[in-house]
Amino acid sequence: MQHCQKWLEYLPFPLVITNAEDCIEHYNFLFARLAGGDTVGADVKTVFDQWKPEDTFLVSVTLHNHPYVLLHHSIQVEEQPFTLYIVADNTQVQQLRQEVANLETQLEAVMESSNDGIYITDEKGVTLKVNGTIEKMTGYPKHCFVGHNVADLVKEGTLKRSITLKVLEERKRVDYVYQLSERKAFATGIPIFKENGDIDKIITNVRDLTEVNHYYNELQRAFELNSQYRRELDMLKGKLKLIDSDVVIESKQMIDIYDMAERVADVDATVLILGETGVGKDVLARHLYASSKRSQKGEFIKVNCGAIPYDLLESELFGYEAGAFTGANKTGKPGMFELADNGMLFLDEVGELPLALQVKLLRVLQEREIQRIGATKSKKVDVRLIAATNRDLKQMVAEGKFREDLYFRLNVLPISIPPLRERKEDIVPLANSVLEKMNQKYSMEKRFDDKLERFFYHYKWSGNVRELTNLVERLVLTVPSSIIMIEDLPVDYSDCECTESHSITNELNRVMTLKEAAEIAEREILALAVQKFQSTYKMAEELGTSQATIVRKLKKYKL
């Protein structure tokens, strides 16, 4: 035992060795200083003021009213039994215990906060910890798992299968998808290794795919609803995908027209656009093209049937072969139908087509093929036809000026654009939009007087949008002041009695009830307010009534 004394002095703790009778045989200098003298031969329990065994290897003691902890371990020296005691300050031990308890609490909180199931075992597969999600997934409480080997749990039927056993076998991460009752789960088992390469613990994470799929489907539905609401909101605001930014649509009639155009953009049926000159037939045709998938595959080709001489119109539409006629291109020339292949051909003023060409156009629509002038073979084309006219094709059919069969071929999807005077909500916003463009174009800062805007609102606009655009540009260029007044109108407009008072007077020139007269005046005032103010609250404030009344009246008069 003499050599024990030497190595006891090398250790940085108070140490003491007792024999089988618990009498002290050896101790180091640190223990002697702690005990306050020589204690060889004394019963180790008598050295301390209090002695309280805590567990197999731990004893709580006090010495000089200070708490300590004795860690003891049995040893054999020269085949004789002895006990080695290590003395530790109980305050430090308690701090360590508290830190361990805190870590345990934090680990428990982390595990319980997870929506995934967490299952921890030791290197033999004995369950150390599970979280509450495992309880929900399996229907068994935690105590049915903790302390039990997963192999036994599988045999008992508590677990249908265990990924832990697979990890123990393969000594690597294992992923597995399996069924839990009516739910599908994805499990990942990860081994934690010791420094020597042996497995220390296995952590398994189980994710309920049924719930994930549910959330994914809910998210998809939310995205679809969001897209639907966005489309509806854009439609209500009139913010459609127009390629011509000069066009402004605020009226319900135009919103409905462009909404229908959106819906038929990707069908190949022929569209016939009807309306007076200058209402925007060309812009609607371009919008149909831009909104369709054909805009990604082919071109938009426009042909004004009324602007090309009859004798040249056929070659322009269908093309010609080399040497087809005197003055023809030596290499031939493709027609508009060929150029519009996979795209869209817009025939403006289709009512001006001569009867001879109407027959050829009908054949193209029926057979989907064209034949160049001078060619002997036909050629297939994939073209969507959009036709437009300001003429009454039905009347022309009755008069024998337009083929009835062609009319029915063109009139598959008719769209009639109302004149500007029938959609007054568009007039002032359109005028201001044109003014803004002209200001940018000519580097000016002009604006309209309120009286001039009211004139625009009540004027009949026989030339529709084109007439309004030309007038605004004329005023911007000719009026020197920054504010354009009603007095600045050209003579042919200033002589026109189109003020709001004259409009009301015209309505009142017939005999009617006082109620009808009041409603006419009320509608005119509300129509002006709609143009001038941005919200129903502002309109109510200016007109001296409630916002609810304004909303009800606007609905009544369809403003």
Side-chain angles (χ1 to χ4, degrees):
M1 287 289 293
Q2 294 299 322
H3 65 282
C4 286
Q5 189 65 43
K6 294 181 180 179
W7 63 260
L8 287 177
E9 298 298 341
Y10 287 112
L11 298 175
F13 312 103
L15 300 169
V16 60
I17 297 176
T18 63
N19 58 25
E21 288 77 30
D22 284 337
C23 293
I24 296 175
E25 292 280 343
H26 295 280
Y27 54 82
N28 63 3
F29 170 75
L30 294 175
F31 182 81
R33 187 172 65 179
L34 186 67
D38 185 11
T39 56
V40 172
D43 188 324
V44 68
K45 296 178 182 177
T46 63
V47 175
F48 297 94
D49 301 330
Q50 289 184 0
W51 183 279
K52 182 182 178 182
E54 295 286 345
D55 55 36
T56 308
F57 303 104
L58 191 65
V59 179
S60 293
V61 299
T62 58
L63 183 61
H64 309 311
N65 296 321
H66 190 83
Y68 294 95
V69 174
L70 301 185
L71 303 173
H72 56 90
H73 185 69
S74 299
I75 60 174
Q76 291 282 335
V77 179
E78 297 175 359
E79 298 184 356
Q80 296 294 320
F82 293 91
T83 302
L84 172 65
Y85 289 92
I86 301 174
V87 183
D89 191 319
N90 193 40
T91 304
Q92 296 177 347
V93 173
Q94 291 300 326
Q95 288 177 349
L96 290 174
R97 280 182 169 179
Q98 187 59 47
E99 289 180 12
V100 171
N102 290 341
L103 289 174
E104 285 281 340
T105 302
Q106 292 173 17
L107 175 61
E108 192 76 19
V110 170
M111 290 179 63
E112 292 302 325
S113 66
S114 175
N115 290 325
D116 295 348
I118 300 175
Y119 200 111
I120 303 175
T121 68
D122 63 13
E123 75 282 1
K124 296 179 181 178
V126 177
T127 307
L128 301 177
K129 275 184 176 297
V130 297
N131 68 349
T133 306
I134 293 292
E135 289 184 314
K136 295 176 184 177
M137 288 181 172
T138 62
Y140 292 101
K142 293 181 183 179
H143 65 78
C144 291
F145 303 100
V146 177
H148 298 275
N149 194 292
V150 290
D152 296 332
L153 293 173
V154 172
K155 288 179 183 178
E156 295 168 1
T158 306
L159 293 176
K160 290 187 177 180
R161 59 180 58 82
S162 174
I163 197 172
T164 301
L165 299 176
K166 197 74 174 173
V167 175
L168 286 172
E169 179 186 341
E170 298 185 5
R171 294 176 55 81
K172 65 178 183 179
R173 170 181 173 148
V174 176
D175 296 321
Y176 191 77
V177 177
Y178 59 92
Q179 200 76 24
L180 280 173
S181 299
E182 297 180 355
R183 294 171 172 268
K184 189 173 286 186
F186 177 74
T188 300
I190 302 174
I192 307 299
F193 293 98
K194 299 177 183 177
E195 290 185 2
N196 62 4
D198 293 336
I199 291 178
D200 183 31
K201 291 179 180 62
I202 297 171
I203 301 175
T204 301
N205 187 87
V206 185
R207 176 160 296 179
D208 188 342
L209 293 182
T210 307
E211 193 168 353
V212 172
N213 289 337
H214 171 72
Y215 289 141
Y216 175 78
N217 292 333
E218 287 293 317
L219 185 61
Q220 285 294 104
R221 280 194 288 270
F223 279 134
E224 290 171 5
L225 281 174
N226 183 58
S227 298
Q228 178 184 336
Y229 293 152
R230 188 181 296 277
R231 287 195 300 271
E232 291 177 359
L233 185 61
D234 286 345
M235 183 186 72
L236 290 173
K237 292 182 176 179
K239 295 179 179 177
L240 300 169
K241 301 182 296 179
L242 295 173
I243 40 179
D244 188 345
S245 57
D246 290 335
V247 175
V248 176
I249 54 175
E250 296 286 344
S251 63
K252 186 177 184 306
Q253 302 104 299
M254 293 302 289
I255 290 175
D256 289 343
I257 286 172
Y258 276 85
D259 177 49
M260 185 174 73
E262 292 280 326
R263 285 184 276 113
V264 303
D266 281 321
V267 298
D268 285 337
T270 304
V271 176
L272 178 61
I273 305 175
L274 304 169
E276 296 178 4
T277 300
V279 292
K281 299 187 291 294
D282 178 275
V283 173
L284 179 59
R286 291 180 183 275
H287 176 68
L288 276 164
Y289 167 74
S291 301
S292 71
K293 294 177 182 177
R294 286 183 174 270
S295 62
Q296 301 170 4
K297 299 185 294 182
E299 298 295 326
F300 177 86
I301 304 296
K302 176 184 175 181
V303 179
N304 190 324
C305 302
I308 302 174
Y310 288 174
D311 53 347
L312 295 180
L313 190 54
E314 182 178 4
S315 62
E316 286 295 315
L317 287 175
F318 305 109
Y320 57 84
E321 294 292 337
F325 51 83
T326 304
N329 191 302
K330 293 181 180 180
T331 58
K333 180 184 176 183
M336 297 300 182
F337 274 98
E338 288 182 70
L339 295 176
D341 193 27
N342 294 317
M344 197 173 288
L345 178 64
F346 176 45
L347 294 183
D348 197 9
E349 298 186 34
V350 71
E352 306 300 324
L353 273 178
L355 286 169
L357 279 184
Q358 291 179 27
V359 177
K360 283 201 167 187
L361 178 58
L362 180 63
R363 180 173 178 272
V364 174
L365 293 176
Q366 290 175 334
E367 307 296 334
R368 296 284 177 180
E369 61 182 23
I370 58 104
Q371 185 171 344
R372 289 185 179 185
I373 298 173
T376 58
K377 292 183 179 180
S378 299
K379 181 178 182 180
K380 288 286 184 182
V381 289
D382 178 16
V383 176
R384 185 181 186 186
L385 186 69
I386 308 295
T389 183
N390 60 357
R391 302 184 65 178
D392 187 347
L393 293 185
K394 257 189 177 181
Q395 182 63 32
M396 292 181 67
V397 169
E399 295 172 357
K401 297 178 181 178
F402 201 86
R403 291 183 62 95
E404 185 178 36
D405 46 5
L406 178 59
Y407 170 71
F408 289 125
R409 276 285 180 180
L410 295 177
N411 198 43
V412 178
L413 289 172
I415 299 177
S416 181
I417 302 179
L420 192 56
R421 61 184 172 274
E422 293 180 10
R423 45 187 174 101
K424 289 184 176 293
E425 299 95 323
D426 293 333
I427 296 175
V428 175
L430 177 60
N432 282 310
S433 175
V434 175
L435 176 64
E436 183 180 347
K437 289 224 171 260
M438 295 305 159
N439 279 335
Q440 292 177 357
K441 181 178 179 179
Y442 299 114
S443 301
M444 295 183 180
E445 293 184 2
K446 302 289 180 74
R447 65 183 181 86
F448 294 134
D449 176 61
D450 290 345
K451 289 183 179 180
L452 181 59
E453 288 187 349
R454 288 197 290 273
F455 169 84
F456 287 158
Y457 182 82
H458 289 287
Y459 186 66
K460 299 305 180 183
W461 300 112
S462 58
N464 293 292
V465 178
R466 189 175 295 123
E467 180 185 4
L468 175 61
T469 302
N470 291 341
L471 176 61
V472 171
E473 184 171 14
R474 180 177 176 182
L475 291 172
V476 168
L477 294 175
T478 58
V479 175
S481 62
S482 60
I483 300 177
I484 303 175
M485 314 286 286
I486 192 170
E487 292 79 10
D488 296 319
L489 285 169
V491 176
D492 47 339
Y493 286 95
S494 59
D495 290 342
C496 179
E497 296 178 334
C498 295
T499 62
E500 63 271 27
S501 60
H502 186 265
S503 176
I504 296 172
T505 302
N506 286 341
E507 290 283 349
L508 297 176
N509 277 336
R510 62 185 177 85
V511 177
M512 64 182 71
T513 65
L514 290 175
K515 181 181 177 182
E516 288 178 321
E519 286 180 345
I520 291 171
E522 187 175 60
R523 187 189 188 284
E524 291 291 333
I525 292 171
L526 285 171
L528 290 173
V530 167
Q531 300 299 322
K532 188 172 182 62
F533 305 115
Q534 298 296 318
S535 71
T536 54
Y537 291 98
K538 185 64 176 175
M539 290 168 61
E541 180 184 342
E542 294 294 329
L543 298 179
T545 186
S546 67
Q547 189 261 354
T549 300
I550 292 294
V551 172
R552 187 175 68 255
K553 295 288 187 182
L554 292 177
K555 187 175 181 181
K556 174 183 177 181
Y557 296 120
K558 298 180 180 180
L559 293 174

